Amino acid sequence: MFSQKFMLSQKFYTHGRLSRPIILHSRYLSNIPQSSSKEVGIKELIQRDIKHAEQVGVIAPAPLDANTFRKIVHTTWELTKFYFYGALAIYKRRQNISAIKTRIRNGGLHLTRAEGRLIELQRKDVNKVIPFVILAILMEELIPVIAIYAPFMLPSTCILPSQQARIEEKKAVKALDASVSYRALFAELNGKAQDGKLPLSALRGNGSAAAMCGVLRLPTFGNDLLRTWRIQQHLKFIKKDDDLLIRDDLLNTLSNEELLQALEERGFITMGIKTTEARNRLKWWLDSVRDHSDDVLARRLSLLAERR
């Protein structure tokens, strides 16, 4: 019974083909409270997140005749189920990924882009799920606070819809701020590129690694070694995604939502961009990497600096 209920709630949360939550689509965003933790208290913000989750059916609301104590108990239990089945979904996802890899290994249909993105999402979630489970067992009440201040710690299946929307909003603002604030730094990086390639070593010092993490919507905490590692891992994923987009000629089949996501993952600012322009920008990127089979990460790093 609980499993069926959780699967129903997940329909409101996760898109079947993408790693990006469906709740981010514009038709859902209008119903999500957008107040930040600076405008309201943390307690009120958490309550708004829970109320919105109840409104869209992710968790069940307390009975109307419940007193305050029963409401607290009910909400705590509903959140516990949400986190439990979210972690369980990551475990069960392994079976699908194992079947995909077995099919390819046995000479079946090649990897699709949706499958490649699912595998990447699973890689990220697996790294987060064990610390998350420990945290949920010991200090479950801290999870909503972490969703506000350290959202990168949470698996994708354990974030409430309005929390996810706020996370994406903060990433977009952060990317825009980095793009504007570090414009001179990106110009300097572009000048270091040779033959259309910029090595990762060029990001050492001067805040270059933090600036690049910012535009790529990656966490910026830590030292340059950790930031550069994040950039490297992200560019490896982008390289695979580029290959699948080019191989299957998917550019003109992507929806507007998919186009925006692809651009954001490649460091573009998408606020106010129209679909035609979004498709042209992604085409520019794909054309720029199409014939570069050597030092593919350095090529993409150069494009990140060049297009500013």
Side-chain angles (χ1 to χ4, degrees), residues 8-108:
L8 177 63
S9 68
Q10 287 295 88
K11 289 200 301 180
F12 292 92
Y13 182 73
T14 305
H15 195 293
R17 294 181 57 212
L18 298 175
S19 61
R20 187 172 198 167
I22 192 171
I23 201 69
L24 294 181
H25 292 193
S26 58
R27 62 181 180 274
Y28 293 98
L29 277 174
S30 60
N31 296 320
I32 296 178
Q34 296 298 311
S35 299
S36 69
S37 57
K38 294 181 180 180
E39 297 169 344
V40 299
I42 295 176
K43 183 178 179 180
E44 183 180 349
L45 194 60
I46 293 172
Q47 290 174 343
R48 290 185 182 186
D49 291 337
I50 293 173
K51 184 174 181 59
H52 178 263
E54 292 174 347
Q55 291 173 345
V56 298
V58 172
I59 62 175
L64 295 177
D65 60 347
N67 57 31
T68 301
F69 176 75
R70 286 184 60 193
K71 287 181 179 178
I72 293 174
V73 172
H74 175 87
T75 301
T76 301
W77 176 238
E78 287 296 317
L79 287 174
T80 299
K81 289 192 295 181
F82 176 76
Y83 296 139
F84 171 77
Y85 285 113
L88 184 63
I90 297 172
Y91 175 79
K92 290 185 175 181
R93 196 192 286 154
R94 297 187 313 163
Q95 300 175 352
N96 295 333
I97 292 176
S98 177
I100 292 170
K101 292 181 177 180
T102 299
R103 183 197 75 214
I104 296 172
R105 191 165 51 245
N106 293 337

Side-chain angles (χ1 to χ4, degrees), residues 185-198:
L185 186 56
F186 283 115
E188 180 182 338
L189 286 174
N190 189 33
K192 294 180 181 179
Q194 295 182 353
D195 299 324
K197 298 181 180 64
L198 182 68

